Amino acid sequence: MKSPLTKLLSGIAAFSIAASAHGLTIVSTFDSSIVNDPNGAAMMAAINAANQVVANDIADNITVYIKYVNDPTVDGAHREISAKAYSYADYLAALKSRASSVNDNNALSKLPNSTTNPVIGGTQIRLSLPLARLMGLESASGPDGFDSTVSLEMPIMNLTRPPGVSTNYDLQYIVEHEINEVLGCYSHLPDFTIINPIDLFRYTTNRVRTYTTNGDDAYFCVDGTNLLARF
């Protein structure tokens, strides 16, 4: 039987590992469309820089496997994330078992002890596989050995800093955004049949939960009071 690392390396051109003293390790695989590109070295440098920024900010001990592709046909960037539905009751129990900070306890105080979530009343919640592994609800990565494949429209990206073309996107920033979503930091809207974890902390300026695509009154808030960032 092949080891997870052997599976990752099978049929790929290059990979790198971004780790931090805190705990998050990102194992990056670069598709041949990046490795063989004339600007491939700059692409990989920007992606590795993004990986390190996120790794330095996450204290949890988890390893994440991401494949990066240069695809001029996507609209900016696109990511396929391996995710599954899990019991909300199991997720809530896992949250309680891992609580270790004031923010954790404040967040839990806003979640009723119930088998259904307080957003839409569903009995399930959808987690990306890295987050599910962190919570002890999953042991596997994606079926292809990756937690996500991130495709990037490199012709419209600035590969280095400072930016070379003012109208292009910043590749490092775009990758940081995509990694955040791979880690589970994204809403499940506009699907109203199930929520993602971050949807538990989606509030209006009136400090009430909201789960809608109408209007622009939605903020991330862990304690029901302090609105930290707009969705």
Side-chain angles (χ1 to χ4, degrees):
M1 180 180 292
K2 291 182 178 180
S3 69
L5 182 57
T6 301
K7 291 179 181 178
L8 281 172
L9 294 178
S10 176
I12 63 176
F15 78 103
S16 67
I17 298 177
S20 76
H22 300 284
L24 174 65
T25 297
I26 301 174
V27 179
S28 299
T29 297
F30 300 108
D31 182 72
S32 59
S33 58
I34 291 178
V35 174
N36 296 333
D37 189 277
N39 296 313
M43 295 174 187
M44 288 186 282
I47 292 170
N48 284 333
N51 291 341
Q52 196 63 61
V53 167
V54 179
N56 288 341
D57 285 341
I58 303 295
D60 295 298
N61 185 20
I62 183 71
T63 299
V64 181
Y65 303 92
I66 304 176
K67 181 178 181 180
Y68 293 99
V69 178
N70 173 10
D71 186 352
T73 68
V74 299
D75 185 13
H78 176 75
R79 80 283 184 276
E80 295 288 344
I81 298 177
S82 294
K84 289 170 54 177
Y86 299 87
S87 159
Y88 175 73
D90 290 345
Y91 174 71
L92 182 59
L95 276 184
K96 291 178 178 178
S97 70
R98 293 182 58 85
S100 60
S101 70
V102 172
N103 280 336
D104 291 343
N105 292 326
N106 285 339
L108 284 169
S109 72
K110 300 301 177 181
L111 299 179
N113 187 23
S114 171
T115 58
T116 58
N117 72 69
V119 181
I120 60 173
T123 60
Q124 293 189 311
I125 189 167
R126 193 170 185 270
L127 278 67
S128 68
L129 292 191
L131 182 56
R133 292 199 303 274
L134 178 66
M135 304 305 293
L137 302 176
E138 185 63 66
S139 60
S141 55
D144 56 358
F146 302 106
D147 292 310
S148 177
T149 295
V150 176
S151 300
L152 300 155
E153 189 181 0
M154 293 298 189
I156 65 169
M157 302 286 182
N158 281 311
L159 308 182
T160 59
R161 292 177 170 179
V165 181
S166 61
T167 55
N168 281 3
Y169 294 100
D170 183 319
L171 176 58
Q172 181 177 327
Y173 174 83
I174 294 296
V175 173
E176 290 174 20
H177 171 87
E178 299 301 326
I179 296 172
N180 285 336
E181 296 192 340
V182 175
L183 295 176
C185 190
Y186 66 103
S187 172
H188 205 250
L189 284 170
D191 184 342
F192 297 94
T193 63
I194 195 169
I195 64 169
N196 282 1
I198 201 169
D199 294 318
L200 292 167
F201 308 104
R202 186 183 179 95
Y203 285 79
T204 69
T205 50
N206 291 326
R207 276 68 175 179
V208 295
R209 281 195 169 87
T210 178
Y211 193 61
T212 177
T213 55
N214 293 328
D216 193 26
D217 189 18
Y219 294 80
F220 176 65
C221 174
V222 297
D223 58 6
T225 301
N226 296 295
L227 305 179
L228 300 178
R230 181 175 291 204
F231 274 87

